[in-house]
Amino acid sequence: MTTQHTNLVLIGFMGSGKSSLGRLVARELGFQFIDTDALVVERAGFDIPTIFALQGEDHFREVEKSVLQSLTHLNRCVISTGGGAVLREENRELLRQIGFVVLLTASEEVLFERVSRNKKRPLLHTQNPRETVARMLAERRPIYEAAAQCVIDTSTLTRPEAMDALLARVREAFGWEPHSPRGPEEA
Ligand code: S3P
């Protein structure tokens, strides 16, 4: 944890609330919100299910990596990453360079309930999505935990509560005041 970080990076499994919470926190801090999945879609010119279907997961991961590489110069941003962005070691290093890495977690049941609300996640287009979530979570949990500098469990929190919890951790880590119009470097 160093004061050189002026960005927040949100990692976590699909449905952990990275984008929805990220947007709220960015607004509260007066930071720009960036969603790496949206940048991948912009670069590829297709939505995520189409990228997976036409070009495959490896291609998606290559574009995802190059998106992360393009973010290392940023300041005062909240960056929400795709659930698999931490899988490559080089990406985990990039994420630490980009900012303070916060893992959002939730129980398996809550995650499954949330991801079941939309069908835009090709990795869950399986015969038994419930089992897929359980398997992927078991595989990824240690990777998420190793990549994170701070963890927030959102299972029982409303969105405003989760935002308060996140802001409290940010304040603790950096001494940032969320209502400060300035970033941590100038604060
Ligand atoms: C993925 C998560 C998705 C998206 C892609 C792959 C993953 O992002 O990047 O479908 O490997 O977990 P969200 O976590 O925003 O759903």
Side-chain angles (χ1 to χ4, degrees):
M1 225 178 285
T2 71
T3 49
Q4 86 206 13
H5 290 137
T6 58
N7 302 306
L8 273 190
V9 177
L10 303 181
I11 63 169
F13 199 75
M14 297 172 265
S16 58
K18 300 172 301 262
S19 301
S20 55
L21 193 55
R23 233 176 238 110
L24 276 183
V25 169
R27 194 181 311 143
E28 186 71 12
L29 289 169
F31 280 21
Q32 188 188 343
F33 174 71
I34 291 176
D35 184 325
T36 62
D37 278 343
L39 294 181
V40 170
V41 167
E42 203 176 290
R43 281 191 189 200
F46 302 112
D47 64 15
I48 290 177
T50 309
I51 302 171
F52 272 70
L54 294 184
Q55 296 162 309
E57 181 173 352
D58 282 352
H59 180 77
F60 175 85
R61 297 293 172 209
E62 280 304 310
V63 182
E64 184 173 57
K65 181 185 75 183
S66 82
V67 162
L68 294 179
Q69 285 167 332
S70 73
L71 303 180
T72 51
H73 66 284
L74 293 175
N75 271 321
R76 295 167 57 78
C77 293
V78 176
I79 296 147
S80 155
T81 60
V86 296
L87 297 178
R88 292 185 174 190
E89 160 90 51
E90 56 193 326
N91 287 0
R92 296 199 287 275
E93 279 168 26
L94 278 170
L95 294 174
R96 291 271 181 132
Q97 277 175 41
I98 294 169
F100 183 60
V101 182
V102 179
L103 168 61
L104 300 180
T105 62
S107 68
E108 194 179 306
E109 292 67 33
V110 168
L111 290 172
F112 183 68
E113 198 273 313
R114 290 184 193 159
V115 296
S116 302
R117 290 183 211 147
N118 104 40
K119 302 285 169 222
K120 292 187 183 154
R121 294 178 169 109
L123 294 177
L124 302 180
H125 296 168
T126 61
Q127 294 259 317
N128 188 339
R130 184 74 177 81
E131 219 171 79
T132 306
V133 166
R135 179 185 47 76
M136 288 177 72
L137 253 183
E139 283 167 10
R140 290 181 176 188
R141 199 173 276 126
I143 304 175
Y144 289 131
E145 286 172 359
Q149 291 166 285
C150 146
V151 184
I152 294 175
D153 186 339
T154 66
S155 307
T156 59
L157 303 179
T158 62
R159 224 170 264 164
E161 285 168 349
M163 183 179 79
D164 285 346
L166 181 51
L167 291 173
R169 299 303 296 273
V170 167
R171 217 176 288 133
E172 215 175 271
F174 300 108
W176 293 358
E177 274 310 315
H179 292 289
S180 163
R182 297 173 303 151
E185 268 179 350
E186 306 100 310

